[in-house]
Amino acid sequence: MIDIDIAINMLLLLFLIAMATTILRLRRMLAVAMILSLYSLLTAGLFMVMDAPDVAFTEAAVGSGVSTVLLLVTLTLTRTHYAKNTARLQWRPLIIVLLTGGALLYGVHDIALMGDINAPAHRHVADHYIAEARNETGVPNMVTAVLASYRSFDTLGEVVVIFAASIGVMLLLGDGRREHRDGDTP
Amino acid sequence: MKDNIILRIVAKMLIPLIILFALYVQFHGDYSPGGGFQAGIIFSSALILYRLIFGLEAGDKAIPRPVLKLIASLGVLLYTGTGVAALFMGGEFLNYSVLADTPVHGQHMGIILVELGVGFTVAATMLLIFDSFAGRPLTTQDAGIEKQHD
């Protein structure tokens, strides 16, 4: 069973790399938006393999669903210009990027393995959640219990952020009424 | 796109199912994956599909924009209201244990109310943002992505 998991993980990760490189090479914005959506869908698959259906669900709905739609409507609103990338290879930025990437890769060794019960993140309150969430909240889905009860403040913050985002968009882009179409100069 | 009969029929068949699924995700979120956030997104995607097929005006007729704004605010109000109610009933802010006769019942009730608030706000907010983008008047210069060339 573990081998199948690893195989699926590898396949998904390979596809992710392929998509990322494709996005870098593409010049057509519409295609980039569509492939970003596929990227999110594959990430949702990865979360699913990691037994995190709640996160996978959110990634599939938000990442490949709504944010793609928002990208597409943004593309219809903006003009896009393409310039052929003719810049020559620049050595100094390349060296800086390679050094930074190397440092990050080096740092990866200190990150706890996935599912390691001795990881600092798992030794604080996680035991309490796993043991008591159902008895204390009466909600079988532990993720819901943590999000809506134990960490209710965080979720409240998220909701307020989303609400504020919509207010910001409405202030910037207007009220979404098409009636004053002619008099409006962008 | 409302002249395309295939799109229209398929959308009419899909939209009720998507909304039903959103309600399932909302109210079954205690037992299965999902919750207010996912449900709100799915609900809004059904109505975004409706707007894409039948146009913004039809969408505006289905749920008028002032109502959407009201729902978005109501969600935040429901969330904070649950917290303040707990405050008045002798607990801390957002401590649901005091909301009902037993702490477990109170927690369950609080979680359902709070998730409902999240669902309201997310669904209405996504629609408001989409409308703001899609309803913005296009000028002839800006019209469309099909004029792009590499």
Side-chain angles (χ1 to χ4, degrees):
Chain A
M1 285 305 283
I2 296 168
D3 289 334
I4 295 176
D5 271 5
I6 290 176
I8 295 175
N9 263 327
M10 284 299 159
L11 196 69
L12 286 173
L13 286 171
L14 278 178
F15 267 116
L16 279 186
I17 294 173
M19 295 213 166
T21 44
T22 316
I23 289 171
L24 282 180
R25 297 168 61 84
L26 277 175
R27 285 286 167 268
R28 199 174 275 276
M29 284 308 186
L30 187 63
V32 170
M34 299 321 288
I35 292 187
L36 273 177
S37 161
L38 268 178
Y39 189 94
S40 288
L41 199 63
L42 282 180
T43 319
L46 265 180
F47 290 142
M48 204 60 224
V49 178
M50 291 177 194
D51 291 334
D54 279 272
V55 190
F57 206 159
T58 315
E59 180 68 36
V62 180
S64 60
V66 168
S67 62
T68 309
V69 172
L70 289 182
L71 267 180
L72 290 178
V73 283
T74 313
L75 284 179
T76 59
L77 278 188
T78 49
R79 259 178 294 178
T80 35
H81 290 290
Y82 305 104
K84 271 270 186 284
N85 191 358
T86 51
R88 281 182 298 115
L89 186 60
Q90 308 236 347
W91 286 105
R92 269 178 288 184
L94 182 67
I95 289 169
I96 292 173
V97 165
L98 284 178
L99 280 179
T100 317
L104 287 175
L105 276 180
Y106 178 72
V108 164
H109 288 290
D110 276 345
I111 293 180
L113 289 175
M114 205 182 87
D116 183 7
I117 50 167
N118 290 320
H122 294 160
R123 299 187 62 178
H124 186 44
V125 284
D127 288 342
H128 179 81
Y129 292 160
I130 293 169
E132 298 294 333
R134 183 160 190 171
N135 299 331
E136 282 183 353
T137 64
V139 169
N141 182 1
M142 202 196 311
V143 178
T144 303
V146 171
L147 283 181
S149 180
Y150 291 109
R151 302 210 172 167
S152 200
F153 268 89
D154 292 8
T155 311
L156 176 61
E158 287 166 19
V159 172
V160 173
V161 163
I162 293 171
F163 184 60
S166 81
I167 293 175
V169 168
M170 279 192 279
L171 285 176
L172 281 173
L173 290 182
D175 211 12
R177 295 252 167 78
R178 271 181 186 275
E179 289 125 48
H180 43 78
R181 174 188 243 164
D182 295 325
D184 213 71
T185 44
Chain B
M1 272 185 265
K2 57 171 163 259
D3 303 326
N4 190 324
I5 189 164
I6 295 176
L7 280 179
R8 221 172 56 214
I9 300 294
V10 170
K12 272 192 178 170
M13 275 161 52
L14 276 180
I15 288 170
L17 288 178
I18 299 175
I19 291 179
L20 192 65
F21 184 58
L23 293 176
Y24 165 76
V25 170
Q26 172 79 53
F27 292 109
H28 210 259
D30 314 356
Y31 303 97
S32 59
F37 195 83
Q38 292 93 331
I41 297 278
I42 295 171
F43 192 88
S44 71
S45 69
L47 292 175
I48 287 178
L49 180 63
Y50 185 78
R51 282 159 161 71
L52 288 176
I53 306 287
F54 299 97
L56 284 181
E57 287 81 8
D60 200 51
K61 234 177 247 171
I63 305 181
R65 214 171 150 73
V67 176
L68 280 182
K69 287 178 187 168
L70 201 71
I71 294 174
S73 323
L74 199 70
V76 181
L77 192 69
L78 188 59
Y79 202 127
T80 43
T82 310
V84 173
L87 208 61
F88 275 117
M89 292 171 84
E92 298 94 354
F93 183 61
L94 289 173
N95 179 4
Y96 317 134
S97 295
V98 292
L99 287 178
D101 43 354
T102 65
V104 174
H105 278 172
Q107 286 285 342
H108 206 151
M109 201 172 101
I111 287 175
I112 287 175
L113 283 176
V114 157
E115 292 277 0
L116 201 61
V118 176
F120 278 171
T121 298
V122 171
T125 295
M126 290 303 146
L127 287 172
L128 284 172
I129 292 179
F130 177 82
D131 281 357
S132 285
F133 273 98
R136 195 170 162 75
L138 300 173
T139 62
T140 40
Q141 293 163 313
D142 294 335
I145 40 178
E146 57 267 33
K147 288 212 306 191
Q148 58 187 233
H149 41 82
D150 0 6

